[in-house]
Amino acid sequence: MYAISLGDDGAELGPLEPWQAEEFLAHIDRGRDFIGRFNGLPDVVTDLESSRAFLRAYAEKTAADAGRICGIRRDGVLVGAVILRTMDVAEGTAEAGCWLEPSAAGRGLVTRAARVLIDWAVGVRGIHRVEWWVSSGNEPSIAVARRLGMTKDAVLRESYPYRGKRHDMEVWSVLAPEWRAANGDRPVSRASTG
């Protein structure tokens, strides 16, 4: 397995695959309450079988060029992930997302990892628009969208029912020309996201 360094603090980004289901489940278990505040993933990944199924679904998305999942590791321990939840190369659109367990929060890991993933989507796959959908109450994720140079496009009022309450969802986005202007023409590793 390969990994891409996210800086000099021991953080790396690498693929997550079905054979890593046990490690992925342990990660979700460590962050279950924290991740589950705004993300339904802990309700989906509840045991080894569902962990494997979740990672298998992303392996199928990767094979179909329709999505991607990359794990964020700190000192070799899986502490979070960034995803392209959807990716439509023909249309030039993708939706990015993320999560972290609490021990990894506040270190800039998601911003650095999302930057690598968006670089790949724009530079290698030719994605024109990357979206970031986030609950209006999820300030840390909104802060990531801002740090990535995204623009808030809309607020979808009470559009997302989650755990018995309706939440406003914000849609943030960045367009390829904006991304390139803000991030320069860094070389993008073709192998950078598996």
Side-chain angles (χ1 to χ4, degrees):
M1 185 171 113
Y2 66 88
I4 298 164
S5 174
L6 293 175
D8 59 5
D9 60 354
E12 297 178 324
L13 185 68
L16 276 176
E17 299 173 356
W19 64 270
Q20 297 165 304
E22 201 169 316
E23 177 188 23
F24 187 66
L25 177 61
H27 153 64
I28 295 299
D29 284 344
R30 285 191 304 271
R32 190 166 295 282
D33 292 337
F34 183 78
I35 295 166
R37 294 176 308 150
F38 298 105
N39 186 326
L41 180 61
D43 299 338
V44 173
V45 176
T46 57
D47 57 19
L48 189 55
E49 182 179 329
S50 59
S51 179
R52 189 172 291 113
F54 182 83
L55 293 177
R56 189 177 307 116
Y58 269 92
E60 290 169 6
K61 284 184 180 193
T62 298
D65 204 20
R68 187 115 351 197
I69 186 169
C70 298
I72 301 169
R73 287 184 171 77
R74 195 156 175 265
D75 298 322
V77 176
L78 182 64
V79 296
V82 289
I83 60 173
L84 291 176
R85 197 180 74 72
T86 63
M87 185 171 73
D88 186 328
V89 175
E91 293 293 322
T93 60
E95 179 192 337
C98 67
W99 62 85
L100 283 174
E101 56 187 72
S103 67
R107 300 173 191 275
L109 295 174
V110 165
T111 302
R112 289 183 274 158
R115 209 169 257 127
V116 170
L117 192 60
I118 294 170
D119 272 350
W120 177 84
V122 170
V124 175
R125 297 309 300 128
I127 297 298
H128 177 74
R129 175 185 170 87
V130 178
E131 296 181 347
W132 189 269
W133 288 57
V134 57
S135 170
S136 291
N138 190 345
E139 286 299 325
S141 189
I142 291 168
V144 170
R146 286 188 180 109
R147 284 192 298 274
L148 292 171
M150 294 184 165
T151 298
K152 183 161 92 173
D153 294 330
V155 176
L156 307 175
R157 297 179 307 136
E158 296 187 7
S159 66
Y160 181 61
Y162 182 60
R163 295 186 175 180
K165 182 180 174 193
R166 296 199 72 83
H167 296 260
D168 293 351
M169 291 298 291
E170 296 184 12
V171 181
W172 292 71
S173 70
V174 65
L175 305 179
E178 298 165 341
W179 185 258
R180 287 186 194 103
N183 295 283
D185 289 323
R186 290 191 294 262
V188 178
S189 168
R190 294 199 176 273
S192 65
T193 61

